[in-house]
Amino acid sequence: MVSEATSNLLQDSGKEEHDDEEEEQQQLIWKKLWVETKKMWVVAGPAILTRVSMFGVFIIAQAFIGHIGNIQLAAFSVVFHVLARFSLGILMGMPSGLETLCGQAFGAKQYHMLGIYLQRSWLMESGFFLLLIPIFIFSAPILKLLGQTEEITVMANIISLWYIPIIFSYVFLYTLQMYLQIQSKNMIITWLAAVTLFLHGFCSWILVDKMGLGIAGVMISMNLASWVPIVGQLIFIFYGGCPLTWTGFSMLAFSDLWPVIKLSVSSGVMLCLEIWYNTLLILFTESSKNAEVTLDALSICFYSKHTLICRLNINGWGLMLSFGFLAAASVRVSNELGRGSAKAAKFAIKVVVATSLIIGVVPWALVLAFRHKVSYIFSISVKVANAFADLSILLAVTLLLNSIQPVLSGVAVGAGWQSIVAYVNIICYYCVGLPLGLLLYYVFNQSVKGMWMGMIGGTFVQTLVLIYYRFLSKIQVELMIIESPFQH
């Protein structure tokens, strides 16, 4: 009896120890999750606010120009959607290469390299900016070839010349953001973005409404809004804001440029392929039946150059959230790879993807629940409301995909896989999505819905490929460490 009682006591004791271990393990997991979540939001929160502010600058400019005249608004929209978006795709995509190198260097505690990489990126992007200048100088013949009217072409040429300093600001704007973001010095970016948004609105009001400068007033205000945050960030960096990573200008910036060029060009191609792919929907919509109503419905989902009033871009605002999580994924992955911890990088990816997906479910559900009412916020037309309700399911699916796909692109940036994703984008977007959309558009007479479904199909396939490449391929898990330049 004694031995049996002793045995029972030992079993109970062992069970209690096992329960205690499980409880401790659960507490450890929750603690780890809480720590990673805080690290993620340190990057994602300010990144989202910054992108919302930058998006707001364009909204304000469009609103003021819309009150000047229809020709001016159409010309401004053409410059932004055709010329600026082309340049933006290149000059905004290229700093992703800087993000990869700086993130891994920061994780490896090679702090001095961040300033060197920043200077190399400035040199490389300045060269590409010089190649883009002729597009804006000779915008008139380019836009005529694209079928624009003489009035719009003349006005667009004037606006495009004003746009050159804004395009040049992109050389510094995004590189500085990446540089500061890697070090979690995001609040300076956020505060400057908020000040810029207020300043832009105030200056536009003074220059346009009070001084009557028209287009010139709006463009002067946009130029100020573009350069104020850059000047503020440079002052912060040069005068002690980044003592570990900025040690002054160095001749080392002119050496070993190839890694920066390789990653930056791959990043630019990757982003351009995505931007141009999304703009195809509007181009094909112009030739559809009942194009005016369809364009009005689409303008609530996207932007249309034919929309003569400023309307909320639901998909655009959703992407502002997604780009914030893209930044978080990139920073966290690159930092952990620089530290040599693939396991921590994998955990960071799971946390960012799960958080972005949970948040993405909210607009997805709202669009579906209020699909018959949303459009009345922007238009009193019953036809537009019906068209929007018809397109709302596709919009909801797009919003859900946008909560996952950009985050996976952020993982690619953090790991330095931009060239691989560029190839994936070419195949999935232009060999799968676009042909499928054209088939549904022309053969099955599905109009803009068919085109949009095909494009969603391409994005869905790309998302599946990136999920497989990141989560299911065991080889790539090891390559994340091997390919890091700071682990050799």
Side-chain angles (χ1 to χ4, degrees), residues 78-377:
V78 167
V79 172
F80 179 80
H81 288 287
V82 178
L83 304 181
R85 280 175 71 90
F86 175 80
S87 305
L88 187 64
I90 296 173
L91 297 179
M92 187 175 74
M94 285 185 171
S96 295
L98 173 69
E99 191 171 17
T100 303
L101 294 170
C102 282
Q104 295 189 13
F106 191 79
K109 298 183 179 180
Q110 299 290 322
Y111 300 124
H112 68 286
M113 288 303 299
L114 273 73
I116 303 298
Y117 284 139
L118 177 63
Q119 294 170 56
R120 289 174 182 171
S121 187
W122 284 344
L123 290 172
M124 187 267 303
E125 291 221 4
S126 296
F128 277 89
F129 163 73
L130 294 176
L131 296 177
L132 293 171
I133 290 179
I135 297 176
F136 291 85
I137 295 176
F138 303 104
S139 61
I142 294 174
L143 295 176
K144 284 182 179 179
L145 288 174
L146 295 176
Q148 296 299 324
T149 64
E150 183 68 25
E151 288 181 316
I152 292 178
T153 299
V154 172
M155 182 55 63
N157 191 55
I158 296 172
I159 295 174
S160 64
L161 294 176
W162 278 102
Y163 232 105
I164 292 176
I166 298 174
I167 296 300
F168 185 49
S169 73
Y170 295 159
V171 171
F172 301 95
L173 182 64
Y174 295 106
T175 51
L176 288 171
Q177 283 186 9
M178 300 300 179
Y179 171 78
L180 292 169
Q181 190 171 266
I182 289 296
Q183 305 170 66
S184 297
K185 297 182 182 296
N186 303 62
M187 291 312 299
I188 181 65
I189 304 173
T190 304
W191 281 111
L192 285 171
V195 170
T196 298
L197 190 62
F198 173 78
L199 180 66
H200 177 49
F202 179 74
C203 288
S204 296
W205 175 65
I206 293 294
L207 295 173
V208 178
D209 287 354
K210 299 301 180 181
M211 298 180 65
L213 295 181
I215 284 290
V218 175
M219 298 311 298
I220 290 172
S221 182
M222 281 195 74
N223 275 276
L224 286 173
S226 298
W227 283 98
V228 165
I230 293 171
V231 173
Q233 290 168 32
L234 288 174
I235 292 173
F236 176 80
I237 293 169
F238 292 164
Y239 291 92
C242 304
L244 294 177
T245 59
W246 182 261
T247 56
F249 291 98
S250 171
M251 292 300 295
L252 290 174
F254 294 91
S255 64
D256 200 21
L257 288 171
W258 177 243
V260 177
I261 294 174
K262 182 181 177 182
L263 277 174
S264 297
V265 171
S266 298
S267 301
V269 171
M270 181 183 80
L271 186 60
C272 283
L273 289 172
E274 294 188 12
I275 289 177
W276 298 338
Y277 181 69
N278 290 327
T279 58
L280 287 175
L281 183 62
I282 294 298
L283 295 177
F284 280 97
T285 299
E286 294 179 352
S287 61
S288 68
K289 295 179 180 179
N290 201 17
E292 184 178 351
V293 172
T294 307
L295 281 167
D296 281 343
L298 277 173
S299 68
I300 300 172
C301 311
F302 301 99
Y303 268 132
S304 167
K305 66 182 180 181
H306 294 287
T307 305
L308 299 180
I309 57 174
C310 180
R311 289 179 175 154
L312 179 63
N313 182 334
I314 296 175
N315 191 58
W317 290 114
L319 280 174
M320 295 305 103
L321 296 174
S322 299
F323 285 151
F325 290 111
L326 183 155
S330 175
V331 171
R332 292 297 303 127
V333 169
S334 61
N335 284 173
E336 295 302 336
L337 292 184
R339 251 186 353 111
S341 178
K343 186 177 180 181
K346 288 163 60 180
F347 184 74
I349 294 167
K350 292 176 182 177
V351 173
V352 178
V353 171
T355 305
S356 181
L357 182 59
I358 290 170
I359 293 176
V361 168
V362 176
W364 169 79
L366 290 175
V367 167
L368 289 179
F370 299 101
R371 61 184 181 275
H372 295 289
K373 299 179 180 179
V374 171
S375 67
Y376 287 111
I377 300 174

